[in-house]
Amino acid sequence: MLSIERLMKEALSLPNALRAQLAEMLVESLEFDIDGTVQKLWTVEAKQRRDEIRSGMVEPIPGEEALAQIRQIIAQGGTFFTRQH
């Protein structure tokens, strides 16, 4: 069996696309006991958000900007609401 250090060195030497594929496979291997209903709901939500972006209904912003906005709302004692379905 490879040591973790050797395995990491080998993995980091892979091209980006293969490293991404390996990372995805490793994460999936940890995802056990996922409620099928919850997974389906997240899939529906992700597709809806994708479609909203593609249609131009919403415009995405960088993650750091979104986090800064949320931190500002929280710092001001406010709350934010998720959309109603």
Side-chain angles (χ1 to χ4, degrees), residues 40-50 83 85:
K40 287 178 186 175
L41 290 171
W42 274 116
T43 300
V44 167
E45 180 70 19
K47 287 179 179 179
Q48 180 178 345
R49 291 180 184 198
R50 177 203 62 198
R83 70 178 124 180
H85 291 277

Side-chain angles (χ1 to χ4, degrees), residues 11-29:
L12 291 174
S13 71
L14 295 170
N16 286 345
L18 290 177
R19 283 200 326 262
Q21 183 180 2
L22 176 60
E24 185 176 333
M25 292 169 64
L26 288 170
V27 169
E28 286 177 0
S29 75

Side-chain angles (χ1 to χ4, degrees), residues 60-79:
I61 61 173
E64 283 302 315
E65 186 178 332
L67 290 174
Q69 289 177 12
I70 292 169
R71 288 184 185 113
Q72 183 178 14
I73 291 168
I74 292 171
Q76 294 172 349
T79 59

